[in-house]
Amino acid sequence: SAQGYMFGFKSRDNTPENIAYIEQAYNIDLPIASFIFDPRDEHTAATMERAVKLLGKDRIYHVTVSPGMMTAKQVAAGEADEDFKNFFALVKKHDINVVFRTMHEMNG
């Protein structure tokens, strides 16, 4: 029988619990787990804490930190810097591998 392979996963509800459930239910290991953090608040830190606890450090976290309704010009001028600094402080604290992206919906 053919065996499938899934490279990564973005949970519809953006929770580590959902990703852990799917891995267990389907007996798969996802090397990439994706999350979108918008807005950026205490939810970001709490979700990252739970992700590392449930999903561990042996994967890549593909994370979007959206600057909300800021324009590219505002981001380039540094208006989102504090959010990005806070995010990368969490990455360093948890010692995880991250593919980071911002402004994933360039429509404004």
Side-chain angles (χ1 to χ4, degrees):
S1 71
Q3 181 177 4
Y5 180 76
M6 185 178 287
F7 185 64
F9 186 76
K10 160 56 175 89
S11 167
R12 180 177 180 160
D13 60 2
N14 206 37
T15 67
E17 291 81 7
N18 186 247
I19 293 173
Y21 167 78
I22 289 169
E23 284 187 324
Q24 184 177 24
Y26 294 96
N27 193 29
I28 57 174
D29 294 309
L30 300 167
I32 297 178
S34 295
F35 295 94
I36 297 174
F37 295 126
D38 184 16
R40 299 126 343 257
D41 54 20
E42 65 278 350
H43 167 76
T44 300
T47 301
M48 191 177 292
E49 185 82 29
R50 291 192 336 269
V52 172
K53 183 177 179 181
L54 285 170
L55 305 174
K57 297 181 181 186
D58 294 333
R59 70 180 76 227
I60 296 170
Y61 289 90
H62 173 234
V63 180
T64 298
V65 179
S66 176
M69 298 306 294
M70 290 183 197
T71 66
K73 187 175 182 178
Q74 289 172 300
V75 173
E79 292 183 35
D81 285 1
E82 195 62 32
D83 290 327
F84 297 151
K85 287 178 187 176
N86 290 337
F87 169 76
F88 285 111
L90 288 170
V91 169
K92 185 175 182 178
K93 173 185 173 186
H94 293 294
D95 189 31
I96 57 176
N97 296 310
V98 172
V99 172
F100 171 76
R101 69 181 181 149
T102 185
M103 302 189 79
H104 62 290
E105 294 180 4
M106 297 294 288
N107 57 358

